[in-house]
Amino acid sequence: MKRPIKLMVSCGSGIATSTHAASIVQEYMNEHGIPVSIMTCSVSDLANRLAGCDVILSTAQVAFDPGIPVFDGLPLLTGVGEEELLEDLQKTIQEITEKD
């Protein structure tokens, strides 16, 4: 079995919004049989928490280039574009998994 992809979900404080977004992503990936390991943090702590991460989903602006894919998590809060975001995230996760 392939390793779960490590996804960091960040928001302004690292508490409520990132936890909400993480639960939506976890449910979606579970429904599609895609193993992911999801962690949450504040966007200000993001640079210090990226070791071993494969993908970032953030509801706040990421002000640096982390060298891994970054997704805008706002659609998970507004509902506008949510399905497209989750499909794009799933596609990226599958591409990373295939490379490993």
Side-chain angles (χ1 to χ4, degrees):
M1 181 176 191
K2 295 185 178 185
R3 71 172 176 86
I5 294 300
K6 293 182 182 174
L7 171 66
M8 181 63 74
V9 180
S10 68
C11 68
S13 69
I15 301 170
T17 306
S18 60
T19 301
H20 175 70
S23 69
I24 293 171
V25 172
Q26 186 70 64
E27 182 178 335
Y28 181 88
M29 296 302 163
N30 287 347
E31 289 173 0
H32 290 83
I34 299 169
V36 292
S37 173
I38 300 178
M39 300 155 287
T40 61
C41 71
S42 67
V43 73
S44 62
D45 198 29
L46 188 58
N48 299 320
R49 304 271 317 271
L50 288 181
C53 286
D54 299 294
V55 181
I56 297 169
L57 176 88
S58 184
T59 61
Q61 183 177 6
V62 176
F64 65 96
D65 179 5
I68 59 176
V70 178
F71 287 85
D72 179 356
L74 286 179
L76 300 178
L77 306 179
T78 65
V80 178
E82 179 177 321
E83 192 65 29
E84 292 87 353
L85 168 62
L86 291 169
E87 289 170 359
D88 289 346
L89 185 58
Q90 176 185 359
K91 180 180 176 188
T92 297
I93 288 171
Q94 288 175 321
E95 288 171 355
I96 293 169
T97 301
E98 290 170 4
K99 289 179 185 177
D100 287 351

